[in-house]
Amino acid sequence: MAINEGKEEAELFQAQAHLYKHVFNFIGSMCLKSALQLNIPDIIHSHGRPITLPELLSALQMDPAKSSYVYRLMRLLVHSGLFSTTKVPIGEGEEEGYDLTPSSRLLRKDNVPSLFPFVQAMFHPAIVHPSECLGDWLSSNEPTPFHTAHGMGFWDYLSQNEEFNRLFNQAMISDSSMMNLVIKDCRSVFEGFNSLVDVGGGKGAVSRIISTSLPNLQCTVLDLPHVVENLQDSRNLKFVGGDMFQSIPTADAILLKLVLHAYSDEDCVKVLRKCKEAIASKGKEGKVIIIDIVINEKKDEHDLKDAKLFFDVLMMTVVTGREREEKEWEKLFLEAGFSHYKITPIFGVRSLIEVYP
Ligand code: SAH
């Protein structure tokens, strides 16, 4: 018998499985979406111990006839690591119960940090539909797949669509709630500064955390007028409506969290130049603090690399932005007139980048 007999066929079948896995990645995403819709993370948490399938059905107020459907949904989500199973004592014996994993613990609604609003917004048709238009967009002259899908750009769509605007802002607030975990380790980043402008700071989630933790720092959130309208100033936190491409208030330091990744290189250089002007009075001591993804293909482990590359294509899909490798960031900083920078990968998917004049 030839040594290679059957090898080629086996490889083709393996390739078929690999291909189908990628074709059906969206099924995994949609199962997660339905688990959120059904509130399963909160149900498991409120149950106080791993929940059996009949208990889950009863909590969902579902007809027991749906049992096998819920079982199959949960089997896939357990396989993906979004839930786990463990034995629970029931009467004399024991049964399998569903439990939360670190990932689904982040999906509880009333917990801090909760990524529920972020995940919910990403599953909104306003985001999902443009991703179906990538191919059409590439053969068109539209600026983004979002334009192909909705006939206008992302920021215009937000300003005209109250429901999605609310969901998007909630998503950003929820993403920023993760900052609570590390702010205590970041005090040195803000040391020596009296004032900070959080450019594109949204509803001020990060600035609220920073201004509470550092009461002597005067924080200003600059964002588009419709985002900051009706927001209440406090002792060391104020909100300013404006356009970062036109003018940025003067400060010792500037924060840009999840802003530059939404823009082209050309636009980033424009914003960074404005930031440099804004911190000019602090001389060499001034600083721009960026929290964004840095792609490091060689070092990032598999899940991290997946998440970063998905974010990159998301930025290509909804806006004219991109996720950048270190050398791409460096090019922007030098072009905008900064002299050096330091990258610290402390926020999981995102890094802290300190940029100096
Ligand atoms: N920094 C926040 C929000 C990031 S989303 C956080 O991490 O939670 C990007 C923000 O940039 C949005 O709030 C958006 O309204 C704001 N933005 C977009 N264009 C802007 C502009 N031209 N001037 C000021 N802010 C802008």
Side-chain angles (χ1 to χ4, degrees):
M1 199 163 79
I3 288 173
N4 270 341
E5 205 174 356
K7 191 167 171 239
E8 248 172 57
E9 288 82 350
E11 270 173 13
L12 284 176
F13 281 115
Q14 203 177 356
Q16 183 190 37
H18 178 241
L19 181 66
Y20 286 178
K21 169 188 149 99
H22 285 281
V23 169
F24 294 123
N25 263 343
F26 78 95
I27 299 272
S29 300
M30 291 305 131
C31 287
L32 173 59
K33 179 181 172 169
S34 56
L36 286 199
Q37 209 176 337
L38 296 170
N39 220 9
I40 293 178
D42 277 323
I43 290 177
I44 296 179
H45 175 74
S46 327
H47 193 67
R49 62 179 171 83
I51 194 166
T52 64
L53 184 61
E55 287 167 343
L56 180 57
L57 276 152
S58 142
L60 288 167
Q61 297 176 343
M62 252 180 215
D63 187 333
K66 300 262 173 71
S67 170
S68 92
Y69 303 141
V70 176
Y71 166 75
R72 284 149 68 192
L73 176 78
M74 291 303 286
R75 180 170 61 181
L76 182 75
L77 291 168
V78 167
H79 170 69
S80 312
L82 293 162
F83 296 101
S84 62
T85 50
T86 171
K87 295 279 178 215
V88 278
I90 300 280
E92 299 285 285
E94 46 178 29
E95 269 181 49
E96 195 118 286
Y98 300 111
D99 205 352
L100 298 174
T101 63
S103 318
S104 46
R105 243 169 245 134
L106 286 172
L107 295 174
R108 283 174 49 207
K109 270 191 205 148
D110 299 326
N111 200 33
V112 176
S114 169
L115 292 179
F116 182 96
F118 183 87
V119 178
Q120 190 185 33
M122 293 306 115
F123 282 136
H124 192 279
I127 301 270
V128 175
H129 182 38
S131 69
E132 292 172 314
C133 301
L134 264 166
D136 289 340
W137 163 69
L138 282 166
S139 345
S140 79
N141 292 321
E142 300 278 3
T144 64
F146 196 91
H147 284 82
T148 309
H150 300 297
M152 66 178 93
F154 185 70
W155 306 115
D156 284 339
Y157 185 91
L158 280 176
S159 69
Q160 292 174 31
N161 192 311
E162 215 173 290
E163 183 235 22
F164 184 61
N165 183 46
R166 195 180 42 78
L167 275 182
F168 177 75
N169 288 325
Q170 286 302 120
M172 292 298 113
I173 292 171
S174 86
D175 184 272
S176 293
S177 66
M178 296 284 287
M179 284 288 290
N180 262 324
L181 305 174
V182 284
I183 190 68
K184 58 186 181 309
D185 306 324
C186 288
R187 285 172 161 276
S188 65
V189 173
F190 303 98
E191 226 153 66
F193 297 134
N194 295 316
S195 55
L196 173 90
V197 177
D198 183 2
V199 174
K203 300 279 185 194
V206 175
S207 280
R208 274 181 226 281
I209 296 170
I210 295 173
S211 60
T212 308
S213 172
L214 300 157
N216 294 326
L217 186 68
Q218 287 300 322
C219 296
T220 303
V221 173
L222 171 76
D223 208 294
L224 296 171
H226 72 267
V227 178
V228 293
E229 69 187 358
N230 302 326
L231 292 178
Q232 211 53 53
D233 292 352
S234 63
R235 194 190 56 79
N236 64 332
L237 174 64
K238 71 172 182 181
F239 293 90
V240 173
D243 179 355
M244 64 188 174
F245 289 102
Q246 300 300 324
S247 154
I248 295 175
T250 306
D252 294 347
I254 302 282
L255 175 67
L256 288 157
K257 177 177 170 278
L258 300 193
V259 173
L260 295 181
H261 78 152
Y263 290 93
S264 65
D265 288 358
E266 202 189 352
D267 282 342
C268 286
V269 171
K270 276 188 206 155
V271 174
L272 285 167
R273 285 200 178 121
K274 288 272 171 218
C275 292
K276 193 161 175 272
E277 280 168 32
I279 56 169
S281 58
K282 189 77 178 165
K284 286 278 170 202
E285 305 290 302
K287 188 186 336 186
V288 176
I289 301 157
I290 297 170
I291 299 175
D292 242 326
I293 285 176
V294 179
I295 295 178
N296 190 337
E297 294 242 35
K298 289 204 187 91
K299 275 205 185 142
D300 295 336
E301 52 80 20
H302 198 263
D303 267 2
L304 197 59
K305 195 189 288 184
D306 273 357
K308 289 182 177 185
L309 298 181
F310 284 146
F311 260 109
D312 179 49
V313 176
L314 177 69
M315 288 305 115
M316 179 165 90
T317 305
V318 298
V319 283
T320 52
R322 61 186 309 141
E323 303 302 347
R324 297 177 168 89
E325 295 173 19
E326 178 173 348
K327 61 178 187 318
E328 295 169 318
W329 280 113
E330 182 180 38
K331 190 164 169 281
L332 299 183
F333 303 149
L334 297 181
E335 221 171 300
F338 290 90
S339 68
H340 61 292
Y341 64 92
K342 183 177 150 205
I343 297 181
T344 319
I346 53 169
F347 302 114
V349 179
R350 279 56 165 272
S351 291
L352 172 78
I353 317 176
E354 294 162 276
V355 193
Y356 303 89

